[in-house]
Amino acid sequence: MFYIGISAYYHESSIFLTDNKDTNCFVKEEFFSRIKGDKNFPHRSLKFLIKKFDLKNENIKSICFYEKPFKSWWEIFYYSIKNPFQNKDFLINHLKNFNKGSIFFYTDVNKLINISREKIVYSSHHLSHCLYGLSVIKNVSDYVYVTCDGVGEGETMSIYTIDDEYKIKKIWTNFYPNSIGLLYSAITDFLGFEINEGEFKVMSLGSFGKPVYEKELKEMFDVENFVINMDYFKFHKSPSKSFSKKLCEVFGEPYLDINEKENFNKYADIASSTQLILEHTMKNLIQKAINLSGRRKVILTGGVALNCKMVHNLSKQDIFEEMIIPPSPGDSGSAIGAANFAFLEKSKVKTIDFNSIFLGPKKSLINKKESKDNLFLKINLTIDFANEAATKLIEGEIIASYYGSTEVGPRSLGNTSILCNARNEEAVNNLNLNLKKRGRFQPLAPILLEENFNKYFSINKNVFKNLEWMGTLCDAKELLYKDYASIIHIDGTCRTQIVKDESSLIYKVLKNLSSKGSNILVNTSFNISKDPVVFDLYDVYVNMRRMNIKFVLMDDGLYQVKDI
Amino acid sequence: MLFAAKIVNNKKLSDGFIRHALDEYKHCFIFTNIKNQLISEYKINKKELSFVPNHIYNKGYIYKDHFIFEKKKLNDFAIFVGANEAIAEEKLIDFSNHLKGHKPLAFKQIQNILKDEERHTEYSLRFAKKNNSFFSYQIKLTKEKVLSFFRHIYANSLNKFSFIFHPILITIIIALSLVTYFLKLKKKITDEDVMKNIDPNSIT
Ligand SMILES: [Fe+2]
Ligand SMILES: [Fe+2]
């Protein structure tokens, strides 16, 4: 029997299916539609799952939506309708979207599977985040669960505890519009980046500036009591603009071209100040969670938790004993939390057993064998192929990887990546600027064996676990500057991933690489900016041709793109 | 096009679709470059011209639950592609004429795109002609051209006519604001037993 969780309509849509035995399958709608951040009901993903697992009413235990549809729609409407004339643009737009949203979730599901109504259940937004957090730990009662995002069902921050019998208590909540997540997004908007996509860029940009606007930003958000000053924001008034004139009086003109040096410096200062305010807020929030729960181990979820720089800076302040951010803490990962809710709701005293963070489908489930033969040439299918790949990497080749199960979060962890030798500066720069077409202020991330980590990096052990999925930054040591300078961010940090699993292909490649004089690879997601990560072999082929990458590592060997 | 390549049961066609998709990606890259040049030259607010992938849905260029290739027969798909490529060609010629005098490089790049598009049109329509009677070919081609015309009108006037519903929406808002004025909804800051207090079948 399958449990299915769905997250959709607001952020990138996704579905997670599990039988709590050997079958786990997490897919995003963007994998199929090829529209990055696709937020529609995941029709295509559900069709894929129906076909692959022969889904029908009889073999589905329940399908869970990650939040309460009406509540989610209503809570922000309720806030704005208190001033109907001032906020009319927002209200009109929100009313228009009523029928496009999750209210008709059951109907949308039913178009594809005939399922009985009682099998459709609804979790709660922050509860789904919290229950996803359980996927990376064992002793649930050791932790306090903190969620912080833009807004979900009118909540912006919440704190939960869970005991060994899986009784869940919510011990504190903060409400819309008091949202540090929405503030961060509004600044993202001001700086000319896309909301829900550009937040990473703001984080990176911040490292180039100084927090000279700390005082002004503290006027906009009270970091101790978690209260926002709405004079500076407009997201409750306007569907298209999130900041007000008053904010522009403080920061000047929005949407300037940051390719000009003067603008760049100014915007970097704004980004840096915003980052600082976020960190102060999160420090106080986590402190509050620890005080209220008496637990010093923290699971942090919600979109804000994707800010790995904040995680890194908080780790140095001796607030918690441990903090873990699961690989996909945003709304798309909540599909997994929703499935977990469905399971717990039936079992009462148990949640799903997760024994891997790679919850996506195996590449062999996605593709037909002929596709591989049609599109790729076999280069090396002997047991030695990882070694040949390492040799090519040493020679300066950029190689794609496509094997194992697909990753869950926004970061590729080696299974669906593009790799190059981090020691080869030319290859690294070529990959970042020409192939991936990223901004010059966004550095690429290193991947290495756990045993080599301490040679090159340092990190506080309270966030060490997150290195397995790039959930935090760490600091570069002297030796890294000597040989691998091109992967170090301007502030001396790296978003490093460590590899522990000796049976994984990336482990073998790295091991071979070490014997040839380099210990670190650059690992970046297998896509071009504004495109989703590759899903099937056709995407692999097309993306390799577009980026002019010749070789790809697959489960059984090293392949080369054919010319067709 | 990429999706068609994935599911068509004919290796030669599939390869052709892939080549077509690669061409389109290349064109997209060229357009993005021209756009960026224009943005910096005319000091346009880059956000106004930024590409938001989800807008493709709103503008009706792609269906939410299926791809065109799933719903059309191969012959009809070829006519659809051919007709739309031809329309795109005309628009591109117009656009490139605007650039002719002062942007020689962009003009040249667009001429190259035009060559590709001509090839696409020709190939698709030749295929369609071969597999349709003369009469049905002409009818289908005209139908696709008309549909495409309306699709563009729809995409370009999306927000222009939405005000028609505003009086109704404003009435609803006024009514709701009166009701909510008297509503005192309490928010729960804590919850002693979340799983017990939640109704899993409720949407509120
Ligand atoms: Fe959320
Ligand atoms: Fe074309």
Side-chain angles (χ1 to χ4, degrees):
Chain A
M1 293 295 266
F2 293 113
Y3 294 85
I4 296 169
I6 298 184
S7 158
Y9 304 103
Y10 302 103
H11 291 277
E12 30 175 31
S13 301
S14 57
I15 309 189
F16 178 61
L17 167 145
T18 180
D19 60 357
N20 198 30
K21 287 183 209 125
D22 350 289
T23 306
N24 288 315
C25 190
F26 174 89
V27 281
K28 292 189 208 170
E29 187 66 356
E30 65 175 26
F31 289 165
F32 301 92
S33 69
R34 309 309 299 158
I35 294 194
K36 190 167 177 136
D38 194 333
K39 53 187 180 181
N40 286 299
F41 177 81
H43 294 276
R44 294 170 170 100
S45 313
L46 191 53
K47 274 192 215 163
F48 171 82
L49 295 175
I50 291 171
K51 198 169 148 202
K52 295 288 173 186
F53 299 99
D54 189 25
L55 294 182
K56 45 188 171 262
N57 194 31
E58 292 74 42
N59 63 5
I60 295 172
K61 193 90 180 172
S62 49
I63 298 184
C64 178
F65 189 61
Y66 81 125
E67 65 174 11
K68 298 282 187 202
F70 183 75
K71 193 162 186 233
S72 158
W73 181 89
W74 169 255
E75 288 293 339
I76 42 180
F77 185 79
Y78 181 59
Y79 178 81
S80 287
I81 205 162
K82 287 171 192 159
N83 285 310
F85 294 105
Q86 269 181 19
N87 305 340
K88 70 171 189 319
D89 291 345
F90 175 86
L91 289 166
I92 288 174
N93 188 61
H94 204 61
L95 263 182
K96 271 196 222 157
N97 287 337
F98 183 80
N99 63 336
K100 288 185 199 154
S102 50
I103 304 274
F104 297 102
F105 175 71
Y106 175 69
T107 325
D108 280 334
V109 173
N110 230 353
K111 278 182 201 155
L112 297 173
I113 318 181
N114 250 324
I115 187 146
S116 28
R117 196 156 206 139
E118 71 281 358
K119 288 194 178 180
I120 301 277
V121 294
Y122 301 90
S123 175
S124 176
H125 190 110
H126 278 195
L127 182 61
S128 297
H129 278 306
C130 161
L131 287 171
Y132 167 56
L134 304 189
S135 69
V136 283
I137 50 161
K138 290 278 174 265
N139 305 322
V140 294
S141 61
D142 288 353
Y143 293 86
V144 58
Y145 302 82
V146 181
T147 290
C148 181
D149 56 9
V151 57
E153 288 174 37
E155 297 176 359
T156 57
M157 296 167 166
S158 41
I159 304 172
Y160 294 89
T161 59
I162 305 178
D163 71 16
D164 289 325
E165 278 74 51
Y166 287 93
K167 183 176 167 190
I168 303 174
K169 275 189 195 176
K170 183 157 77 170
I171 54 176
W172 184 74
T173 316
N174 194 19
F175 298 100
Y176 181 84
N178 299 315
S179 168
I180 190 68
L182 290 178
L183 176 142
Y184 206 91
S185 293
I187 302 291
T188 302
D189 181 18
F190 177 92
L191 297 178
F193 304 116
E194 246 13 271
I195 290 180
N196 289 338
E197 185 200 302
E199 282 81 355
F200 285 115
K201 295 179 189 165
V202 177
M203 183 182 84
S204 301
L205 182 63
S207 306
F208 290 83
K210 291 194 185 66
V212 294
Y213 297 104
E214 181 183 351
K215 211 178 110 230
E216 287 83 351
L217 269 150
K218 285 197 167 153
E219 181 69 28
M220 297 174 199
F221 196 88
D222 175 348
V223 299
E224 278 169 23
N225 299 300
F226 315 110
V227 178
I228 199 165
N229 182 342
M230 288 305 281
D231 294 346
Y232 294 95
F233 302 96
K234 253 176 97 167
F235 49 76
H236 62 305
K237 278 187 186 159
S238 154
S240 55
K241 204 161 188 191
S242 49
F243 53 89
S244 72
K245 265 201 196 115
K246 193 161 173 187
L247 190 123
C248 300
E249 281 163 22
V250 179
F251 292 146
E253 209 181 316
Y255 310 140
L256 292 174
D257 180 3
I258 56 165
N259 290 319
E260 283 170 33
K261 195 168 178 287
E262 206 178 296
N263 299 339
F264 183 87
N265 292 341
K266 172 147 197 211
Y267 276 19
D269 287 344
I270 297 174
S272 166
S273 316
T274 311
Q275 179 68 24
L276 187 78
I277 293 304
L278 175 83
E279 286 169 13
H280 285 182
T281 306
M282 293 312 285
K283 181 185 173 190
N284 291 332
L285 177 62
I286 289 163
Q287 193 63 63
K288 185 174 185 106
I290 289 168
N291 294 346
L292 286 173
S293 67
R295 299 175 186 184
R296 294 195 71 233
K297 290 181 169 188
V298 183
I299 301 290
L300 182 65
T301 51
V304 173
L306 283 166
N307 192 304
C308 47
K309 192 173 168 188
M310 172 265 297
V311 177
H312 174 239
N313 284 339
L314 292 188
S315 74
K316 294 178 175 171
Q317 299 187 27
D318 195 31
I319 317 165
F320 41 78
E321 190 184 318
E322 183 180 31
M323 183 157 84
I324 304 180
I325 294 93
S328 182
D331 282 2
S332 104
S334 284
I336 302 169
N340 212 6
F341 173 88
F343 189 87
L344 179 62
E345 198 261 318
K346 288 276 178 294
S347 77
K348 306 292 178 207
V349 289
K350 251 190 359 233
T351 53
I352 297 168
D353 281 323
F354 294 95
N355 29 35
S356 166
I357 54 160
F358 292 95
L359 298 170
K362 288 218 168 62
K363 306 292 198 279
S364 53
L365 183 85
I366 302 170
N367 298 293
K368 290 192 213 128
K369 204 187 158 291
E370 311 92 81
S371 324
K372 205 193 254 178
D373 301 335
N374 287 346
L375 301 169
F376 301 93
L377 289 168
K378 296 167 187 141
I379 295 294
N380 187 340
L381 301 192
T382 66
I383 44 165
D384 200 36
F385 76 92
N387 186 32
E388 183 166 352
T391 307
K392 289 206 166 356
L393 287 161
I394 290 286
E395 286 164 0
E397 197 76 52
I398 293 172
I399 295 186
S401 68
Y402 181 77
Y403 55 79
S405 299
T406 304
E407 291 88 343
V408 164
R411 295 160 193 131
S412 289
L413 305 175
N415 291 13
T416 323
S417 296
I418 304 174
L419 308 165
C420 81
N421 178 10
R423 209 163 178 163
N424 186 329
E425 202 178 321
E426 200 188 316
V428 175
N429 288 337
N430 183 23
L431 176 56
N432 203 18
L433 301 172
N434 299 334
L435 272 62
K436 294 277 296 186
K437 311 202 188 302
R438 286 150 52 107
R440 66 189 162 95
F441 55 86
Q442 295 175 272
L444 288 167
I447 183 169
L448 80 170
L449 299 177
E450 186 182 16
E451 63 208 48
N452 290 327
F453 180 81
N454 288 326
K455 263 190 246 169
Y456 301 103
F457 302 97
S458 62
I459 193 168
N460 202 317
K461 73 175 192 318
N462 57 11
V463 291
F464 190 82
K465 175 96 180 148
N466 301 291
L467 289 173
E468 287 173 42
W469 52 80
M470 295 190 194
T472 179
L473 301 178
C474 56
D475 293 302
K477 282 187 179 170
E478 196 90 353
L479 196 57
L480 195 75
Y481 277 95
K482 202 171 140 257
D483 292 331
Y484 303 92
S486 54
I487 52 162
I488 307 172
H489 199 23
I490 179 133
D491 59 2
T493 62
C494 294
R495 203 177 63 203
T496 307
Q497 183 193 345
I498 53 165
V499 178
K500 286 163 83 170
D501 177 8
E502 290 181 23
S503 67
S504 71
L505 184 48
I506 190 76
Y507 187 94
K508 289 172 196 153
V509 174
L510 282 163
K511 201 79 190 168
N512 278 301
L513 195 80
S514 288
S515 69
K516 298 176 201 297
S518 172
N519 285 322
I520 306 177
L521 285 175
V522 155
N523 167 29
T524 180
S525 55
F526 194 168
N527 68 326
I528 299 180
S529 115
K530 297 245 176 191
D531 256 5
V533 170
V534 300
F535 183 65
D536 62 23
L537 280 168
Y538 288 85
D539 305 330
V540 171
Y541 180 83
V542 166
N543 273 280
M544 287 178 72
R545 288 284 304 269
R546 287 172 71 196
M547 289 190 262
N548 217 350
I549 298 175
K550 267 215 260 166
F551 301 103
V552 54
L553 268 169
M554 298 203 213
D555 287 292
D556 60 342
L558 184 67
Y559 289 80
Q560 183 178 343
V561 274
K562 274 187 186 168
D563 219 0
I564 55 169
Chain B
M1 213 34 88
L2 183 57
F3 180 79
K6 290 176 186 184
I7 64 164
V8 72
N9 263 331
N10 173 329
K11 163 102 173 76
K12 245 178 101 186
L13 270 179
S14 174
D15 290 355
F17 290 152
I18 290 181
R19 282 193 294 270
H20 191 156
L22 283 169
D23 278 346
E24 299 298 348
Y25 278 122
K26 187 176 76 194
H27 301 169
C28 171
F29 178 63
I30 295 172
F31 282 128
T32 312
N33 274 345
I34 296 178
K35 182 188 88 176
N36 290 341
Q37 277 175 39
L38 295 176
I39 284 178
S40 66
E41 190 170 318
Y42 294 105
K43 303 257 170 248
I44 305 168
N45 165 3
K46 77 168 185 221
K47 253 201 134 154
E48 259 165 44
L49 287 183
S50 98
F51 169 65
V52 181
N54 253 296
H55 287 177
I56 302 177
Y57 282 119
N58 305 348
K59 289 185 176 272
Y61 287 126
I62 175 172
Y63 295 104
K64 287 183 179 174
D65 54 350
H66 68 274
F67 289 102
I68 288 172
F69 194 74
E70 283 171 278
K71 291 281 158 89
K72 276 193 194 304
K73 284 191 206 121
L74 194 54
N75 295 334
D76 298 348
F77 180 70
I79 295 185
F80 166 82
V81 174
N84 283 288
E85 294 276 351
I87 294 167
E89 236 179 282
E90 281 165 33
K91 294 200 164 162
L92 265 181
I93 292 172
D94 269 1
F95 179 60
S96 72
N97 285 339
H98 283 298
L99 298 172
K100 199 171 183 176
H102 63 291
K103 286 243 165 292
L105 184 66
F107 179 76
K108 211 177 129 209
Q109 284 174 325
I110 293 184
Q111 298 314 307
N112 287 336
I113 296 182
L114 275 168
K115 270 185 215 144
D116 286 345
E117 301 294 34
E118 230 168 86
R119 204 178 60 239
H120 297 161
T121 315
E122 213 240 28
Y123 180 82
S124 312
L125 293 183
R126 189 161 20 106
F127 182 92
K129 260 186 204 157
K130 219 168 67 189
N131 295 291
N132 278 287
S133 69
F134 175 78
F135 194 58
S136 94
Y137 169 79
Q138 291 299 342
I139 291 183
K140 286 177 182 167
L141 189 66
T142 315
K143 187 183 123 197
E144 286 300 344
K145 285 190 173 168
V146 172
L147 280 176
S148 174
F149 177 75
F150 282 112
R151 201 161 33 238
H152 281 94
I153 290 196
Y154 173 78
N156 291 329
S157 56
L158 259 187
N159 296 318
K160 290 180 192 144
F161 297 105
S162 60
F163 69 88
I164 297 170
F165 300 105
H166 282 194
I168 308 170
L169 294 173
I170 287 175
T171 319
I172 299 175
I173 288 169
I174 293 171
L176 280 172
S177 72
L178 289 173
V179 177
T180 49
Y181 184 78
F182 297 102
L183 213 60
K184 286 277 167 287
L185 294 181
K186 270 231 171 98
K187 293 190 192 295
K188 258 170 83 177
I189 294 177
T190 61
D191 188 341
E192 274 305 298
D193 191 341
V194 175
M195 291 305 284
K196 209 175 110 194
N197 295 331
I198 193 170
D199 174 359
N201 296 108
S202 157
I203 61 163
T204 57

